[in-house]
Amino acid sequence: MKTRIDRREFIKFAGAAGAVAGITLSLPACAQTKNGGAAGAKVVVIGGGYGGTIAAKYIRMMDPSIDVTLVTGEKTFTSCPMSNWVLVNMHEFEWLTHSYDKLAANYGITVIPETATKIDPEGRKITLKSGNTLPYDRAILSPGIGFKWGAIEGYDEEAAELCPHAWQAGPQTKLLHQQLEAMPDGGKFIIVAPPDPFRCPPGPYERASLVAHYLKANKPKSKVIILDAKDKFSKQELFVSGWQKLYGYETDNSLIEWVAGSSDGKVVEVDPQRKIAVTEFDEHQADVLNVIPPQKAGAIAEATGLTDDTGWCPVDHKTWESKMQPNIHVVGDATIPGSLPKSGYAANSEAKVCAAAVVDLLNGREVGEPTWVNTCYSLLAPDYGISVAMVYRIDADGQLNSVEGAGGVSPKDGNSAAEAIYAESWYSNIVDDMFA
Ligand SMILES: Cc1cc2nc3c(=O)[nH]c(=O)nc-3n(C[C@H](O)[C@H](O)[C@H](O)COP(=O)(O)OP(=O)(O)OC[C@H]3O[C@@H](n4cnc5c(N)ncnc54)[C@H](O)[C@@H]3O)c2cc1C
C-alpha cells in the first residue's frame, strides 16, 4: 500500500496531474466525524468513473487513516472519453475499459462492484442492491448523468436500443458502431444534439467529425446531419474551420450539415422503428439515428433529494458538499459546477478539491481556497485535433468562474497534428491518474 503523503506533497501531486493549483492551510477545529477525528472515519464513494476514482484515491493518499469504500456498479469502468475514436475503428473497444484492481491493491480502497440503491442521509447509511448497508461519516457521489426519457416524444429506454445515444459508453457504443458499419453508402447518419447543459459540450461535434472521416474513407456518398437544439456550440469556430478544410463544409458536397435550433434543428419527436426525427416543421429520415437526449444528474442523486428543479445537484464549490443534504458531497457531471463544463477533466479537478476538503473536514481543519483546471481535446480527424483550456477559481462574488486570460482555444491555424497527439496522451495520463 502507498504511504501517507502530506498536504504539500498532495498539492505537488495534484499539480502534476494538472488539477488543484493552490490550497491555503489554516487550522481551527470543526471535527465532523461521529468518532471525533479522521482515524477510522468512513468515507463511501459512489461511482467509479472520472470523479469517483479520483476522490477515493486522493483521500487515501492524503490520509490513509481514513477508511474508503468505492461503490462502482460494475467490475470494470468503460470510458466515454475516446469512445468516439472507438466508434470509427481508431482503437479497439478494450482501450476504453479499465480495472479497479490497483485501487484496491495499491491504495487500500475497498472496491464493491455493486449498485447503490438508497442513501439515508439522516442515518448516514447506504444500501446496496444486495441489501447490504454501508455506514459513512461522509459520502461522495460521482454518479454521472441520467437521461430525461420522454423529453423528446417517442424516445425512451426501449427506443435507445434502436436509436442509440452512446452517451454512456459500453453496449450503446458497440450498438452505434455496428449500425455505422452496416449503413449503406449514400446513407444519412443523423445526430440529435441536446440542449445545454449536457455531458461533454464538444462531444457531439467530435462525433460528427470522426463519423465524417469514416464516411469519407468508406462510404463517400453518405452524410452526417446534426439536428441541434442549440444555436451555438463549444469550439464552434474551430470545428467549422476544420470541417471546411476536411469535409467540404458549406459546399454542395459537404459531408457534414449542421442545423441550428433556430433553423428548425430542434427535434421534438422520434419514430425509433422507422428512424425518423421530427422537428417543428420537418421530418428527417435517417439510416442511423443517434439521439443524445436532454440530461440530468444520475438516478441515485435524484432519489436522495440532492437535485433541485434544474435536475442537477447544487453544491458548495469549496467542498462540493451538497446544498440539499449535509455530509454528502457530489462531484462530476451530476453537479451544477459554476463555469466548469461537464467533462472528465473537470470531474477529476473537482474530485481532488473535494477529497482535500473531506480530509480537512474529517481532521477538524478549515478547508483551503481551491482552483480548478480543465482542458478538452476534440479530434476532427485522426491527425487533426483542437482544444480548449481554462483555469477557474471562486471570484469576488463567491461564484466558481473562469480566470480571465488564463486559457483559451487552440489557434485556428495551429498545429492540429500535434493537438491530436496531445489528446491521446491526455487520455493515457488521466486514466493512469484514475486507475494506476
Ligand atoms: C462521447 C463522449 C466523449 C467524451 N470525451 C471527453 C473528453 O475527451 N474529455 C473529457 O474531459 N470529457 C469527455 N467526456 C465527458 C466525460 O465522459 C464525463 O464528463 C465524465 O465521465 C464525468 O465523470 P463522472 O464521474 O461524473 O461520471 P462517470 O465517469 O460516468 O462515472 C459515473 C460512474 O458511476 C456509476 N454509477 C452511477 N450510479 C451508481 C450507483 N447508484 N451505484 C454505483 N455506481 C453508480 C456509473 O456506472 C459510472 O461508472 C466525453 C463524454 C462523451 C459521452
Side-chain angles (χ1 to χ4, degrees):
M1 200 173 79
K2 288 266 151 81
T3 49
R4 178 189 182 105
I5 60 168
D6 65 18
R7 287 160 65 82
R8 189 184 297 265
E9 283 177 311
F10 168 71
I11 291 163
K12 260 198 299 185
F13 248 112
V20 181
I23 296 173
T24 54
L25 311 177
S26 52
L27 305 168
C30 54
Q32 291 275 311
T33 54
K34 284 174 177 172
N35 61 17
K42 290 189 187 317
V43 173
V44 179
V45 181
I46 298 177
Y50 276 80
T53 52
I54 293 295
K57 175 173 158 179
Y58 277 75
I59 288 176
R60 288 290 295 171
M61 289 205 301
M62 287 184 75
D63 188 343
S65 78
I66 298 173
D67 184 277
V68 176
T69 300
L70 177 62
V71 181
T72 60
E74 308 276 345
K75 283 205 172 102
T76 54
F77 176 69
T78 307
S79 171
C80 278
M82 308 300 155
S83 61
N84 286 333
W85 300 29
V86 167
L87 193 64
V88 297
N89 301 326
M90 286 172 57
H91 278 273
E92 294 297 314
F93 182 82
E94 287 62 40
W95 193 47
L96 303 176
T97 59
H98 304 279
S99 155
Y100 297 107
D101 289 355
K102 287 187 183 157
L103 290 180
N106 295 346
Y107 302 95
I109 296 165
T110 305
V111 178
I112 304 183
E114 265 198 65
T115 303
T117 52
K118 199 177 155 207
I119 304 175
D120 168 7
E122 303 240 307
R124 295 199 204 176
K125 198 172 64 182
I126 290 160
T127 306
L128 304 177
K129 202 174 174 192
S130 59
N132 291 336
T133 56
L134 299 169
Y136 65 84
D137 293 298
R138 287 191 176 263
I140 302 175
L141 271 62
S142 194
I145 53 164
F147 296 111
K148 293 184 174 169
W149 300 119
I152 296 174
E153 205 184 321
Y155 196 70
D156 55 17
E157 267 180 286
E158 229 172 275
E161 295 305 315
L162 297 168
C163 304
H165 49 75
W167 223 239
Q168 282 163 330
Q172 280 276 307
T173 315
K174 288 184 177 168
L175 181 60
L176 190 59
H177 174 251
Q178 284 157 10
Q179 293 189 354
L180 173 62
E181 295 266 294
M183 189 175 97
D185 193 6
K188 280 187 190 157
F189 187 104
I190 295 186
I191 299 175
V192 177
D196 292 321
F198 67 101
R199 160 174 281 184
C200 195
Y205 314 96
E206 179 188 67
R207 180 171 287 171
S209 311
L210 291 180
V211 169
H213 166 77
Y214 167 93
L215 297 177
K216 193 174 171 181
N218 298 290
K219 299 168 188 182
K221 289 188 224 131
S222 312
K223 202 170 185 152
V224 183
I225 300 170
I226 309 162
L227 298 175
D228 211 325
K230 307 176 292 299
D231 279 345
K232 54 185 172 69
F233 58 87
S234 172
K235 295 183 271 190
Q236 184 163 353
E237 266 190 52
L238 290 175
F239 272 109
V240 166
S241 141
W243 292 346
Q244 285 165 343
K245 284 180 208 155
L246 299 165
Y247 305 120
Y249 187 62
E250 286 165 337
T251 68
D252 289 346
N253 295 324
S254 179
L255 274 163
I256 297 180
E257 191 184 325
W258 174 66
V259 188
S262 59
S263 304
D264 197 33
K266 187 178 174 203
V267 170
V268 292
E269 187 182 344
V270 296
D271 179 337
Q273 300 287 348
R274 293 161 61 217
K275 295 198 193 317
I276 291 175
V278 183
T279 58
E280 200 183 351
F281 299 109
D282 212 348
E283 284 193 3
H284 298 261
Q285 176 70 60
D287 294 275
V288 177
L289 184 52
N290 171 209
V291 182
I292 307 166
Q295 293 155 35
K296 58 183 181 175
I300 187 78
E302 196 176 16
T304 312
L306 301 172
T307 52
D308 66 12
D309 53 14
T310 65
W312 304 101
C313 304
V315 293
D316 170 357
H317 293 129
K318 247 177 140 175
T319 60
W320 296 80
E321 186 165 4
S322 165
K323 288 187 173 171
M324 315 294 272
Q325 298 284 2
N327 305 307
I328 300 179
H329 303 247
V330 192
V331 295
D333 287 355
T335 63
I336 300 172
S339 299
L340 277 160
K342 293 187 187 297
S343 78
Y345 201 163
N348 174 297
S349 199
E350 294 158 17
K352 285 172 179 163
V353 169
C354 176
V358 165
V359 169
D360 279 338
L361 291 166
L362 291 173
N363 279 287
R365 299 191 295 247
E366 193 174 297
V367 300
E369 282 299 328
T371 59
W372 297 264
V373 67
N374 177 67
T375 304
C376 278
Y377 291 98
S378 305
L379 279 201
L380 278 67
D383 58 355
Y384 192 115
I386 58 173
S387 64
V388 57
M390 190 53 71
V391 178
Y392 302 81
R393 69 174 167 219
I394 293 173
D395 67 16
D397 299 326
Q399 304 302 311
L400 196 170
N401 230 327
S402 51
V403 175
E404 221 182 297
V409 293
S410 39
K412 234 183 186 172
D413 293 311
N415 190 342
S416 52
E419 295 253 19
I421 294 167
Y422 303 153
E424 185 152 353
S425 152
W426 171 85
Y427 180 59
S428 155
N429 288 329
I430 204 161
V431 296
D432 267 6
D433 200 18
M434 292 160 73
F435 297 102

